[in-house]
Amino acid sequence: MLQPPSALPIEPFQRLRVSDGLLLTAERWRIAHDYHRKRQNIYYQSLNQAGIVAGLGVCVTAAPETIAQEHRDGRWLQIQPGVAIDGFGNPIVVPEPITFRIASPAPLDGELMVYLTLRYVDPERLQGLGDRDLVQETFRIDEITRVPTPNEVELCRICLPPGEINLRPALDIWHPTVNSLDLRFRQIAQARPVQQVAIAQAVSESAPWLDATVTDRLQSLLQSLPVLSPMMQGDVLPPLNLTHSDTPLLPIDLLYLTWRQLLALTVSEKFVLQRYAAAGTVLLVETGTQEASIVELSLIRQQLKEAIASVAKATDSAEMRRDLATELAAVDIALNEQLQSLMTTLQACVAPLGITVDTPSPLSREHPLRHTPFLFAQLPCIEGYPVQLFNWGSLVLCIGSLSQAWGLDDDLILPRETIRTAQEMGINLLHYSWRQHQLTQLQQVPGL
């Protein structure tokens, strides 16, 4: 899930102005130190992501011998020493092992998710310090039944069933069962992604259902980000119902629609899309080559280009190259005629959105979809058919099943190179959508 940054206080810093003769009081000393601490915290919040730095393992243990008999049960855990940093930039140091008992009662029915968290405690808020000159920064371990907040570092979570609670290590760490320690969601402290992308699938009156395959593909694309583009992070939002025209706009960077959805949009649904397009959301409309009626032409064109490339090295192939080039030019003319018909239909659909579709042309060398963050001299080929991309501001038309190659296919048909290339093009789409949305929002009045 996308982890939003903690809210940064937008207020200027104030620091102590030191001069000769300044009386050094406890309050002024506190002001001077708070200034440096706040600068350190805002620096970490801005550039880094909260989480565990080292250690802080969690294991099942026996109850301490000093504990009363009624509490000597299978609910005891031990937190190992380690270091973490919370969402506000505060370092948390656990210097020695700590035993902890899960106290939540078993649910009467269903299951209860319990979170074990670590939280920073400001020494200034502690009582009973007396006249000590040195105080140790400390922490507390909490057991909560809600999702942790930015000031809470998750150590583990446990799904409690009805009946007896008897904690145990997970036999399968990837699929923990009830009463088992679940460590899969521990966040690691690391550099914060610069680009946080939100994508969603549109649901319309003509297609009121959620296409699970599309959702899986979008999730697969986001799963590739940590390896292929670590400075980008994303989340698939719940489907956007276009029939609800009175709901506030959601912060969506990329909205996915099929060609059939676009053709069947109602007037009110087009109004919703017009609002999102005006706010900078990129509408990705995907149509297969079969729907675009260019299957055979696209395949022939690809074969001709490959044939021209294969005979280019032969010294006596000039005449063959001319014949192939002539055939390719004829195919391009026929293909452009089909594309022009498609664009005429597209223009009629998106004109109410305030988007103008002009003559289709390949993406230029300078277009972000061609070079940021990945360079593309040739667009991906999915099952032998080359993908074609066209862009008009907030609208991207994809001819070809690009999203099909973002995830795994059960039949293992697509080779790894095809999947990786398609994912890289998908990341270019995410980057373009994020940038389009960001730049559009920066020049709009908040709240309008």
Side-chain angles (χ1 to χ4, degrees), residues 245-262:
S245 58
D246 56 344
T247 56
L249 292 182
L250 299 175
I252 300 175
D253 298 296
L254 178 65
L255 183 61
Y256 177 93
L257 302 94
T258 64
W259 176 255
R260 292 182 181 180
Q261 272 184 294
L262 182 68

Side-chain angles (χ1 to χ4, degrees), residues 2 196-203 218 235-242 247-257 272-273 275-284 394 430 432-438 440-441:
L2 183 65
Q196 299 192 357
V197 186
I199 59 181
Q201 175 186 352
V203 176
L218 297 178
D235 192 21
V236 178
L237 301 182
L240 176 65
N241 195 330
L242 300 179
T247 56
L249 292 182
L250 299 175
I252 300 175
D253 298 296
L254 178 65
L255 183 61
Y256 177 93
L257 302 94
V272 174
L273 285 183
R275 293 175 61 206
Y276 274 94
T281 297
V282 171
L283 312 178
L284 172 61
S394 293
L430 294 180
Y432 174 78
S433 303
W434 171 80
R435 193 64 171 155
Q436 168 90 8
H437 194 197
Q438 180 199 45
T440 303
Q441 288 293 309

Side-chain angles (χ1 to χ4, degrees), residues 88-105:
F88 298 103
N90 298 306
I92 306 173
V93 180
V94 179
E96 58 187 14
I98 296 177
T99 53
F100 186 90
R101 182 178 182 271
I102 299 297
S104 296

Side-chain angles (χ1 to χ4, degrees), residues 251-357:
I252 300 175
D253 298 296
L254 178 65
L255 183 61
Y256 177 93
L257 302 94
T258 64
W259 176 255
R260 292 182 181 180
Q261 272 184 294
L262 182 68
L263 296 181
L265 290 176
T266 64
V267 174
S268 61
E269 290 170 346
K270 290 182 179 180
F271 172 73
V272 174
L273 285 183
Q274 187 273 332
R275 293 175 61 206
Y276 274 94
T281 297
V282 171
L283 312 178
L284 172 61
V285 179
E286 188 178 50
T287 176
T289 52
Q290 187 72 41
E291 289 179 308
S293 302
I294 59 173
V295 177
E296 295 183 2
L297 289 174
S298 296
L299 184 58
I300 293 174
R301 185 176 187 274
Q302 183 68 16
Q303 292 172 344
L304 287 173
K305 292 184 68 174
E306 292 175 356
I308 292 175
S310 64
V311 302
K313 299 179 181 180
T315 57
D316 56 347
S317 60
E319 184 177 353
M320 182 179 297
R321 286 200 302 272
R322 284 194 300 269
D323 293 341
L324 291 173
T326 301
E327 292 184 38
L328 180 61
V331 171
D332 282 340
I333 293 174
L335 191 59
N336 286 335
E337 292 176 354
Q338 292 289 348
L339 288 176
Q340 190 58 53
S341 175
L342 184 73
M343 297 305 163
T344 301
T345 304
L346 179 64
Q347 174 59 44
C349 291
V350 301
L353 311 183
I355 300 175
T356 302
V357 174

